[in-house]
């Protein structure tokens, strides 16, 4: 019986294995992402931002969004991710947030295809290729990036996997298509492509590597110093440079500190949470990326950006900030394993059975998913992840929030809290409470206060009470801490 089952598994077509693996990834992560949105834990920042940018593009105003201060501007003034334009047709589905989440899960899953091809090329058999695809699909940080809102940069993960495969196989057409698409997902992705160019050059394709490196650096410099200031003249540059205030007040000052005072950089990086972040990235892959350092170096630009940031979520795998890092570490783990196996053969050491090595490799990433992953079911397992485990249940509070947002007419300017705003972003004007500006409706969750980028219960409640005491506003709805106000004289 066992022999027959093993034979049946061996005879199963490769495409069916890959389709099944990708299908499970999509089903799990799309379901969790949509459940999180329906439970009112997705945010105006960032799912709502993507919804508004795509919706505005469909209305003939490419990538237009509303800033925190209530100004209309093109999203490229914050992040250069014009890849979002490709999702414009989803604006006509009538369920844009859900369509974006499903599309993201499908696209990210496709990175398993180049992972399979690299595994088969470097490790020699179909079984190794399927193991490599499994490692990619099980890697916890990719699950978090896929579940936690929608971001264009998350789509860089499969595109960069395809770039690595295209470079290795000398499929320059694949590299020529996937590299520009990846670069269009965020301004710093060009730096990762530049590092990939060095790896390509080191493997003999010097002209292609130099072109990729020069193009990647040129794109990132153009995006940061030309595109962002052009579309955000008020800031004069990236609004996110303040996250690196310990190193300087501008992009050039931060770069100067990195180059001239590296001891200050080391002091920032050598903290417990940042070292824990590195461990969370590398330990699931059994440190194998360290055996292929030049390929793994493609992760260095984003690693540096995350490790030096003062924003805690950037040095955590539970957000989207590691999406560019993941493909390089997964690919480097495949190549690193191939190199270690070759070393064992050269030295004449006794090698463990291939099946045992596969089981340990894939099993390590699977166990990491239990300990670190987003699945709410892991909280019932010893040492299982508890992180945000309750954020997928649609309970009474979510029902109250749903009733509240349904009271706001379509198209009118509205001010909303972060989690409520994700459901109200398919309109031209949406403000983040406490910014009100020209809003005719205000929707606020008093149980989940949110001000700017930090929760501030006392400040939030003060602003809500001020609005309730303002005679120019009328309380239209209140349930379970969720309130809706409308300007006096405004009717639904």
């Amino acid at each position: 019986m066992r022999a027959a089952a093993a034979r049946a598994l061996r005879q199963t077509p490769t495409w069916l294995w890959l389709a099944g693996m990708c299908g499970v990834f999509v089903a799990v992560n799309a379901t969790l992402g949509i459940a999180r949105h329906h439970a009112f834990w997705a945010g105006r920042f960032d799912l709502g931002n993507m919804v508004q940018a795509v919706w505005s593009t469909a209305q003939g105003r490419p990538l237009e969004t509303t800033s925190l201060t209530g100004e209309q501007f093109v999203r490229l003034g914050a992040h250069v991710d014009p890849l979002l334009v490709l999702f414009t047709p989803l604006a006509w589905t009538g369920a844009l947030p859900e369509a974006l989440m499903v599309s993201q899960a499908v696209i990210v899953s496709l990175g398993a295809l180049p992972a399979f091809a690299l595994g088969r090329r470097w490790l020699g058999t179909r079984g190794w290729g399927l193991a490599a695809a499994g490692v990619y699909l099980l890697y916890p940080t990719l699950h978090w990036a896929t579940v936690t809102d929608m971001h264009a940069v998350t789509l860089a993960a499969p595109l960069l996997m395809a770039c690595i495969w295209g470079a290795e196989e000398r499929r320059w057409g694949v590299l020529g298509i996937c590299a520009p698409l990846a670069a269009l997902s965020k301004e710093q992705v060009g730096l990762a492509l530049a590092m990939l160019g060095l790896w390509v050059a080191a493997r003999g394709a010097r002209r292609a590597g130099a072109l990729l490196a020069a193009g990647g650096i040129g794109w990132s410099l153009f995006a940061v110093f030309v595109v962002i200031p052009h579309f955000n003249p008020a800031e004069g540059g990236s609004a996110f440079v303040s996250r690196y205030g310990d190193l300087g007040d501008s992009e050039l000052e931060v770069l100067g500190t990195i180059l001239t005072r590296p001891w200050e950089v080391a002091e920032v990086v050598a903290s417990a949470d940042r070292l824990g972040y590195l461990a969370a990235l590398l330990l699931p892959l059994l440190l194998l990326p360290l055996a292929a350092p030049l390929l793994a170096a493609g992760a260095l630009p984003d690693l540096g950006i995350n490790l030096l940031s003062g924003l805690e979520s950037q040095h955590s795998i539970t957000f989207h900030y590691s999406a560019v890092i993941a493909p390089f570490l997964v690919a480097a783990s495949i190549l690193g394993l191939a190199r270690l196996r070759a070393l064992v053969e050269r030295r004449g050491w006794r090698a463990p059975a291939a099946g045992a090595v596969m089981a340990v490799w894939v099993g390590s990433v699977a166990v990491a998913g239990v300990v670190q992953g987003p699945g709410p079911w892991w909280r019932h397992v010893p040492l299982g992840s508890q992180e945000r485990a309750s954020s997928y249940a649609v309970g009474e509070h979510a029902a109250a929030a749903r009733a509240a947002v349904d009271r706001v007419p379509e198209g009118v300017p509205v001010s909303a809290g972060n989690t409520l705003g994700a459901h109200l972003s398919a309109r031209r004007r949406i403000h983040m409470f406490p910014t009100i500006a020209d809003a005719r409706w205000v929707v606020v969750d008093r149980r989940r206060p949110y001000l700017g980028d930090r929760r501030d219960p006392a400040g939030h409640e003060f602003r809500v009470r001020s609005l309730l005491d303002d005679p120019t506003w009328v309380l239209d709805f209140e349930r379970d801490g969720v309130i809706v106000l409308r300007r006096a004289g405004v009717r639904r």
Side-chain angles (χ1 to χ4, degrees), residues 187-266:
E187 58 274 6
Q188 82 267 18
V189 176
L191 301 178
L193 290 169
M195 298 302 293
L196 179 61
L198 298 180
W199 180 76
V200 171
R203 293 176 77 82
R206 295 183 180 179
R207 183 176 298 179
L211 181 62
L212 183 58
I217 292 174
W219 163 253
S220 287
L221 291 175
F222 176 73
V224 171
F225 293 106
V226 177
V227 177
I228 291 177
H230 174 76
F231 288 102
N232 195 0
E235 293 283 349
S238 174
F240 303 102
V241 73
S242 61
R243 296 178 182 178
Y244 305 88
D246 291 341
L247 303 177
D249 295 327
S250 68
E251 292 93 335
L252 291 177
E253 285 187 20
V254 171
L255 182 60
T257 301
I258 293 171
L259 296 176
T260 62
R261 300 194 298 280
W263 56 89
E264 295 185 17
V265 174

Side-chain angles (χ1 to χ4, degrees), residues 44 51-52 55-56 61 64 66 72 405 408-414 423-430:
R44 159 72 182 151
V51 167
Q52 189 182 24
W55 181 86
S56 296
R61 299 183 299 276
E64 182 184 273
T66 309
Q72 295 299 109
V405 299
V408 180
E410 293 184 5
V412 301
V414 62
H423 295 257
L424 293 165
S425 290
R427 64 188 67 230
R428 185 166 193 181
R429 300 276 286 165
I430 173 167

Side-chain angles (χ1 to χ4, degrees), residues 306-382:
N306 292 344
L307 290 171
L308 296 177
S309 172
L311 183 65
E312 184 179 352
S313 57
Q314 278 191 249
H315 31 89
S316 166
I317 68 164
T318 62
F319 295 89
H320 63 286
Y321 296 106
S322 301
V324 175
I325 295 169
F328 287 102
L329 295 187
V330 170
S333 76
I334 303 170
L335 183 56
L337 181 56
R339 288 179 173 176
L340 289 178
R341 194 177 66 168
L343 176 63
V344 169
E345 292 175 355
R346 286 198 306 270
R347 295 292 177 88
W349 297 335
R350 183 178 178 180
V357 176
M358 286 184 203
V360 171
W361 186 32
V362 177
S364 175
V365 185
V367 169
V370 174
V371 177
Q372 303 174 343
W377 42 81
W378 299 135
R379 61 182 162 175
H380 305 297
V381 175

Side-chain angles (χ1 to χ4, degrees), residues 126-153:
R126 182 187 84 147
W128 281 112
L130 291 173
V135 167
Y136 172 87
L137 291 170
L138 289 168
Y139 195 39
T141 191
L142 278 179
H143 286 258
W144 280 114
T146 308
V147 166
T148 308
D149 293 4
M150 189 272 181
H151 303 87
V153 72

